[in-house]
Amino acid sequence: LESFLDRYAPLFGRPEAQGHARRFVQGLLLGGDRRSAENIAEATDGCIVRSLQTFITNAPWDGNEVLGEVRRQVADEWGDPEAVVTVDETGFAKKGTKSVGVKRQYSGTLG
C-alpha cells in the first residue's frame, strides 16, 4: 500500500497533508459498516480526528489531478493494444426490509 500511495502523495502538497491522505486511504480500506472521519481516525494509528476532518474539508488538492494519475497508472500497467477489461459492479446485500419500492435486484457478489 505504501508504494502505491507514494505515487499519489505529491498531489496532496505539504507533508502533513500527504500523511493525512495516506491515513485516510488506509482507514477506508479497513472495512466496517461506517467510514466517517471519526471512525477512520480512531482505527488508524497516528491519526487525530480534528486533523483528519480539517484535511477532508480544507486541504487544497485537485481531484482531477488524482484521477489523471490513476488513469496514467492504469495505462502504464495495463496498457496493451490487445487488453480487455471486464467490469462487474460490486454489490452488497440489502439490510432491512423497510426500503420503499425496492424489489430483489441482481448483485454480482450474491448472484
Side-chain angles (χ1 to χ4, degrees):
L1 180 61
E2 287 299 317
S3 64
F4 173 81
L5 294 175
D6 286 345
R7 183 173 184 147
Y8 296 89
L11 300 175
F12 293 93
R14 297 176 48 173
E16 296 84 9
Q18 292 178 20
H20 289 308
R22 288 175 184 275
R23 287 186 289 276
F24 185 67
V25 171
Q26 291 169 349
L28 289 173
L29 295 174
L30 288 174
D33 288 338
R34 295 185 57 217
R35 289 188 185 85
S36 68
E38 186 173 347
N39 291 7
I40 289 171
E42 289 173 355
T44 307
D45 289 338
C47 198
I48 299 168
V49 175
R50 181 70 69 197
S51 297
L52 186 62
Q53 289 170 331
T54 300
F55 165 75
I56 292 169
T57 58
N58 297 329
W61 59 277
D62 185 350
N64 288 327
E65 287 183 25
V66 175
L67 183 57
E69 189 59 34
V70 170
R71 289 179 181 143
R72 283 186 287 282
Q73 185 173 17
V74 169
D76 290 349
E77 295 184 17
W78 294 357
D80 184 316
E82 305 210 11
V84 176
V85 175
T86 303
V87 178
D88 179 17
E89 84 291 344
T90 300
F92 53 89
K94 184 180 116 180
K95 294 181 181 178
T97 58
K98 306 282 190 239
S99 298
V100 177
V102 176
K103 292 184 179 181
R104 179 172 163 75
Q105 297 178 345
Y106 173 78
S107 171
T109 57
L110 301 175

